[in-house]
Amino acid sequence: MITTSDNQVSSAVVEKVKKLMRLASSDNQAEAELALQRARNLALENMLDLACIDAWGDNQIEEQYITDELTTGENRKKVTHKFTSWILQSHFNVKILTDSCARFYGVKVHFIGKKSDVETARFVYGFLNETMMRLWHNYRQNHPDITTSARGSFLLGLHSGLDNKLYQSRKQKENEKFESVSKVLGTEAKVTAENKYALICQDNKKKLEDAVSKFFPRVGRGSSSYTSNTNGGAYSAGVSAGKSITISKAIGNNQKALTF
């Protein structure tokens, strides 16, 4: 089957199919069945690959990879930096590097990725750093017996809770999109969509790594591990608090959109 990129199908046709697929989930059974049939017919008539249309969006212009920096003005990385960076690198399609010469001009945080992803990541970086510290101070205020030594455990818990929440949300959205492909074109098309999506994710990951090597050829690849004398109570409280963080709402208020 020819994909949208191969056949250059008009955006109007793609949008019409997507609209029909949304109507196919209507509570009105007759309307849903009619929309589903029309979507199927239109897709087949135009030889559209709904794996491209619905599983990961329209045939968009390839964005250039860029690097952008944020100078904190501080001579040390924020205590929340590593946890925020892990979230961004796992869920926001960017790589984060920090400058090692902070004593001269303050810490520089470098964001590498597609332009739209970098813009989102910069905002989320600030939002998460502030939110994590606020949640830690709230927790400590409500637990007078807790000392600063438990901060690492609480922040690690915050990361774990939020990381799991974002992972589950992404998987749910992906599954919903694949099911919509299956509903229109059948199980075989769903499997094709899943395979193509996996290849696209792998290709994007390689492109990101290539961009990092291009912009920072001398930078090694550090480890993302973290060891600490874990305070079980603080860690558990952090996990619960991490699950309550809503990044999508914060981005929406900033007139941005999640990338997954």
Side-chain angles (χ1 to χ4, degrees), residues 6-256:
D6 294 328
N7 203 32
Q8 295 298 312
V9 177
S10 72
S11 59
V13 173
V14 172
E15 286 300 321
K16 187 171 183 179
V17 173
K18 291 177 68 177
K19 181 178 181 180
L20 287 169
M21 291 177 70
R22 288 193 293 269
L23 290 174
S25 60
S26 169
D27 293 333
N28 185 314
Q29 184 176 357
E31 182 183 68
E33 291 178 354
L34 180 59
L36 179 61
Q37 186 59 48
R38 287 180 175 175
R40 180 182 292 112
N41 292 342
L42 190 58
L44 293 175
E45 287 171 8
N46 290 274
M47 300 188 72
L48 295 180
D49 186 344
L50 293 194
C52 292
I53 294 177
D54 194 58
W56 48 78
D58 302 340
N59 179 34
Q60 300 177 350
I61 298 174
E62 182 72 16
E63 284 189 79
Q64 294 296 313
Y65 284 80
I66 67 168
T67 179
D68 197 7
E69 68 181 38
L70 173 67
T71 302
T72 66
E74 302 171 348
N75 58 10
R76 292 188 303 175
K77 289 184 288 187
K78 296 179 181 296
V79 295
T80 54
H81 170 82
K82 66 168 68 69
F83 306 105
T84 297
S85 296
W86 292 349
I87 291 294
L88 290 174
Q89 293 181 127
S90 295
H91 302 284
F92 289 86
N93 310 312
V94 295
K95 285 292 184 181
I96 308 293
L97 297 175
T98 52
D99 204 302
S100 60
C101 298
R103 64 183 181 276
F104 296 114
Y105 39 69
V107 173
K108 284 188 177 181
V109 181
H110 300 274
F111 301 83
I112 305 99
K114 294 180 180 179
K115 185 175 185 295
S116 59
D117 292 331
V118 167
E119 290 175 349
T120 300
R122 279 182 60 110
F123 171 75
V124 175
Y125 179 79
F127 168 76
L128 282 182
N129 281 325
E130 188 279 330
T131 299
M132 286 184 170
M133 284 306 297
R134 175 172 51 79
L135 290 172
W136 158 246
H137 288 309
N138 289 345
Y139 174 70
R140 189 174 182 185
Q141 184 177 359
N142 293 324
H143 297 79
D145 57 318
I146 291 294
T147 65
T148 305
S149 63
R151 184 175 60 190
S153 296
F154 182 81
L155 294 177
L156 182 61
L158 278 178
H159 165 267
S160 298
L162 178 57
D163 179 63
N164 183 260
K165 176 182 179 178
L166 293 175
Y167 173 78
Q168 295 299 332
S169 176
R170 184 175 73 247
K171 294 304 294 183
Q172 180 181 350
K173 288 181 174 64
E174 290 171 352
N175 290 336
E176 288 173 354
K177 289 178 182 294
F178 291 135
E179 285 303 322
S180 69
V181 172
S182 178
K183 184 183 293 185
V184 176
L185 292 180
T187 303
E188 185 176 347
K190 175 188 175 184
V191 174
T192 299
E194 291 172 335
N195 291 336
K196 287 187 176 181
Y197 182 70
L199 289 174
I200 286 177
C201 289
Q202 183 177 353
D203 183 57
N204 286 339
K205 183 177 180 180
K206 183 180 184 304
K207 287 179 179 178
L208 181 55
E209 293 293 344
D210 289 344
V212 174
S213 298
K214 173 186 175 181
F215 292 121
F216 300 93
R218 298 182 180 180
V219 174
R221 301 294 177 261
S223 171
S224 61
S225 62
Y226 177 78
T227 57
S228 174
N229 294 323
T230 305
N231 180 306
Y235 176 82
S236 297
V239 171
S240 297
K243 292 178 180 179
S244 72
I245 298 175
T246 306
I247 296 179
S248 57
K249 182 177 180 180
I251 295 178
N253 291 339
N254 198 49
Q255 297 185 338
K256 293 181 182 291

